[in-house]
Amino acid sequence: MATTTPTGVRGGSQSEPTPDGAPMTHPQIMKALSGLMLGMFVAILSSTIVSNALPQIISDLGGTQSSYTWVVTAALLSMTAATPLWGKLSDLFSKKLLVQISLVIYVLGSVVAGLSQNTGTLIACRVVQGIGVGGLSALAQIVMAAMISPRERGRYSGYLGAVFAVATVGGPLLGGVITDTDWLGWRWCFYVGVPFAVIALIVLQKTLRLPVVRRDVKVDWLGAFLISAAVSTLLIWVTQAGTSYDWVSWQTWAMTGGALVLGLLFVLVESKASEPIIPLRLFRNKTITLASAASLFVGVAMFSGTVFFSQFFQLARGETPTMSGILTIPMIGGLFVSSTVSGQVITKTGRWKAWLVSGGVLLTAGLGLLGTLRYDTPYWHIAIYMALTGLGLGMMMQNLVLATQNQVAAEDLGVASSVVTFFRSLGGAVGVSALGAVMANRVTHYVKDGLAALGPQAAAMGHGGTGGGAIPHLDQLPPPFRAVVESAYGHGVGDVFLYAAPAALLGLLLVVFIKEVALRSKPVADAPAAASPVAAPAAAPVAAEAQAPAGSTK
C-alpha cells in the first residue's frame, strides 16, 4: 500500500491525526471513508434488493401496477425531499452524527417494512427508508468533499462508484435468492440490510473524524414541506391520470395547478428565508444550473432501468427473481467499469467534461436501443444495450456532482452537492411514476389486442389477468393467455425505455453547454470563500487554485 500522500488531500480530518497537520495518506483516507462506504452500500442495497422481489411482493400483498410503481416512487420522493434538507443540516451540524442518524432512520423503516401486511403499510415504510437513504446519499459526497480536493476526489469518487456498482449488482441478486428461498421469503429483503447498517454505525464511530463548526441556525422546514407537497401532488396526478380519471379532467387541472402554486410558493419562501433549503443564488452559476438539470434527466434513465428490468425478465420472459438479477449484470458491469475508470483518469488529468459528454451519448444510445425490446429479443442484444446504458450512467452520475462541488465555497458545499442529488432523485421519482403509468396503460392495451387476436372466447377475458392493473401470476395462466401477457409486458417495457431515451438526450444537450473548469488541487474547505464562482463571480479563476500548495490546512 502506498504511503505517499496524493496531491491536494487535506490533513486534520483523518481518523488518526498526523503530526503538525500533515496531509493524510491514502491508507488513512481509505480508513476514514470505510464506514462511509459501508453506509453507502447499505443505502444502495436497500434501493436495489427489492427490485427483483417486487413482482412477488405486490402479488402476495394484492397490489396493482400502481402499487408497484408507488413502492419505488415513495422511497424516491422522500429521498428527493429529504436530500436538500440533509445537505443544509450538514452545513450546520456534525456530518458524522447526521450520517449515523440516517442509518438509524433507515433501519427503523426497514424493520417495519418487513412486517407489512398490505401495500399501504409497505409504501409508508418506504417513505421512512427514503428519508434515511437520502441522508446517506447526500452526506457521502459531502463528507468526501470536506476531506479531499476536487482534483483528487475523482479517484475516491471512483471507489464510491465501485461500491455503488457492487451494491447495485449484489442487491438484485441477493433479493432474488432470498425471494426464491422458501424458508426466507421476500420479507427478509428488508431485514438483510439491518446488520450492515449496524456495522456501519460502529465503523463510522471509530474511523470518521471531521471538524464541527457550530453557529446559530434556522432550518427551512416550510421550504422542505412545500417542495415535498408540490412533487407529491404532481406524482399522484401522473400515477392516477388515465385510470382513476381522464388525463383532461377537473382533477388534472386541480392537481397540476396545485403543484404549480406550491412550486411558486416554494420559490417565494426560498427567496426570503434566512437559511433556505435550496439557496436560489446558487443557480446564478451556469455550471450548477446545467448540472442540476442534467441530473434530473439522468435520474429518469437511472431509476427506470433498475425498476422495469425486473418486470421485463420475470413477466415477459418467465425468469425467476434470482435469474432476473443475474441477467442485469451487463448494465451494472458497465456502470462499475466507467465510474471507476473515469474517476482515475479525471484525477490524473483534472479534465471531466469529455466523460460527461461521452456518457450522455452512450446513455441515449443504450436507452434508444432498449426501446426495441420485445419478449423474444435475443439476450445478447439486450446485454449490449444494457452495457451501453450502464457505461453512460457511470460516466455521468458522480461527475455531475464533482463539477458542481468544484464551483462553490466551503459554506455552500453541502447544499450544492445535495442540490444535484436532489434533482437526480426528483427525475427518478417523476420518471418512475410517469413511466409506470405508461407501462400500465400499454400493457393493458397490448393484452386486449393479443386476446382479441385469439378469437371471441379469449377476447371475452378482457385483460388476461391484468385487469385493474393487477400483476399477473404467469404460472396460473393457460399457455395461450400466458404468451399474450408475456408479449404485452415485453412490448410495454420496450415502450418505457423508448420514452426514457429523449430524457437522456436532453441531459446530453445540457452537459454540452457546461463550461469545463480545471479541478482545484485543494479541498473546498481550505479554499478561500472569495474564490468560489458562486460567492464572487469576479474573483480569480478557480483553475488558478491548482497552483496552490497541496495539503494546506486551516
Side-chain angles (χ1 to χ4, degrees), residues 95 158 172 257 267 372 394 440 488 510 517:
K95 298 175 180 63
V267 173
T372 66
L510 288 166
V517 177

Side-chain angles (χ1 to χ4, degrees), residues 480-498:
F481 301 132
R482 173 169 177 161
V484 168
V485 172
E486 287 179 339
S487 177
Y489 271 95
H491 203 163
V493 172
D495 287 351
V496 163
F497 287 117
L498 195 60

Side-chain angles (χ1 to χ4, degrees), residues 65-66 68-69 243 247 304 307-313 315-316 431-447 466 469 471-472 485-486 488-497 499:
Q65 180 68 44
S66 178
Y68 185 105
T69 301
T243 54
W247 283 97
S304 63
V307 170
F308 296 108
F309 269 130
S310 60
Q311 284 193 304
F312 176 78
F313 286 118
L315 298 177
V432 169
S433 184
L435 294 174
V438 169
M439 173 91 167
N441 178 271
R442 300 311 295 162
V443 166
T444 301
H445 172 74
Y446 292 135
V447 165
T466 63
I471 304 296
V485 172
E486 287 179 339
Y489 271 95
H491 203 163
V493 172
D495 287 351
V496 163
F497 287 117
Y499 282 110

Side-chain angles (χ1 to χ4, degrees), residues 115-376:
L115 302 173
S116 300
Q117 300 300 314
N118 54 65
T119 55
T121 303
L122 179 59
I123 291 169
C125 293
R126 292 289 286 173
V127 170
V128 177
Q129 276 188 306
I131 294 173
V133 172
L136 293 169
S137 300
L139 294 166
Q141 293 288 342
I142 294 166
V143 170
M144 276 186 53
M147 297 171 57
I148 307 166
S149 72
R151 179 66 177 267
E152 278 294 319
R153 205 175 303 141
R155 175 186 187 182
Y156 296 96
S157 292
Y159 295 143
L160 277 185
V163 171
F164 181 95
V166 171
T168 304
V169 69
L173 283 173
L174 184 58
V177 171
I178 290 173
T179 303
D180 287 335
T181 302
D182 293 337
W183 54 275
L184 288 176
W186 60 261
R187 295 184 186 277
W188 279 91
C189 291
F190 298 101
Y191 301 147
V192 73
V194 174
F196 291 102
V198 173
I199 294 172
L201 279 170
I202 297 171
V203 174
L204 279 166
Q205 185 63 33
K206 292 183 175 294
T207 62
L208 187 61
R209 299 287 187 271
L210 287 173
V212 179
V213 179
R214 300 186 183 279
R215 58 190 177 93
D216 293 334
V217 299
K218 184 177 181 181
V219 179
D220 182 21
W221 299 110
L222 180 58
F225 167 77
L226 288 172
I227 190 63
S228 301
V231 175
S232 298
T233 304
L234 190 63
L235 294 184
I236 292 171
W237 166 65
V238 169
T239 304
Q240 300 298 324
T243 54
S244 300
Y245 44 81
D246 293 332
W247 283 97
V248 179
S249 62
W250 70 266
Q251 292 96 331
T252 290
W253 293 114
M255 289 191 176
T256 54
L260 179 61
V261 170
L262 289 168
L264 292 175
L265 286 174
F266 170 74
V267 173
L268 179 63
V269 168
E270 295 304 276
S271 66
K272 298 181 179 297
S274 57
E275 295 279 0
I277 191 170
I278 299 181
L280 300 181
R281 59 184 169 76
L282 290 178
F283 296 102
R284 298 172 190 165
N285 183 292
K286 184 179 178 181
T287 295
I288 295 176
T289 301
L290 291 173
S292 298
S295 291
L296 179 79
F297 296 114
V298 169
V300 174
M302 173 183 171
F303 290 102
S304 63
T306 57
V307 170
F308 296 108
F309 269 130
S310 60
Q311 284 193 304
F312 176 78
F313 286 118
Q314 291 181 52
L315 298 177
R317 299 176 78 98
E319 301 290 353
T320 64
T322 301
M323 277 305 299
S324 180
I326 292 173
L327 293 173
T328 57
I329 286 178
M331 186 177 77
I332 309 308
L335 193 154
F336 176 85
V337 170
S338 62
S339 63
T340 304
V341 172
S342 66
Q344 296 286 347
V345 175
I346 288 172
T347 292
K348 291 180 180 178
T349 64
R351 299 292 175 179
W352 44 266
K353 183 173 179 179
W355 292 99
L356 285 178
V357 175
S358 299
V361 170
L362 291 173
L363 183 59
T364 304
L367 288 173
L369 291 168
L370 285 170
T372 66
L373 283 186
R374 299 297 182 265
Y375 79 104
D376 56 354

Side-chain angles (χ1 to χ4, degrees), residues 29 107 127 208 289 384 404 438 498 532 534:
I29 295 172
V107 168
V127 170
L208 187 61
T289 301
I384 293 174
T404 299
V438 169
L498 195 60
S532 167
V534 174

Side-chain angles (χ1 to χ4, degrees), residues 345-487:
V345 175
I346 288 172
T347 292
K348 291 180 180 178
T349 64
R351 299 292 175 179
W352 44 266
K353 183 173 179 179
W355 292 99
L356 285 178
V357 175
S358 299
V361 170
L362 291 173
L363 183 59
T364 304
L367 288 173
L369 291 168
L370 285 170
T372 66
L373 283 186
R374 299 297 182 265
Y375 79 104
D376 56 354
T377 302
Y379 176 71
W380 70 271
H381 289 184
I382 302 172
I384 293 174
Y385 306 160
M386 287 192 295
L388 291 174
T389 302
L391 287 169
L393 285 172
M395 292 179 190
M396 296 191 77
M397 285 190 338
Q398 303 294 343
N399 293 328
L400 285 169
V401 178
L402 182 64
T404 299
Q405 290 175 339
N406 194 48
Q407 294 281 302
V408 297
E411 61 269 19
D412 288 325
L413 177 63
V415 70
S417 302
S418 63
V419 161
V420 179
T421 308
F422 166 83
F423 279 100
R424 186 171 68 209
S425 301
L426 178 62
V430 174
V432 169
S433 184
L435 294 174
V438 169
M439 173 91 167
N441 178 271
R442 300 311 295 162
V443 166
T444 301
H445 172 74
Y446 292 135
V447 165
K448 289 181 177 179
D449 284 353
L451 292 175
L454 292 178
Q457 185 177 359
M461 284 192 64
H463 51 73
T466 63
I471 304 296
H473 283 280
L474 292 182
D475 294 338
Q476 298 176 6
L477 297 177
F481 301 132
R482 173 169 177 161
V484 168
V485 172
E486 287 179 339
S487 177

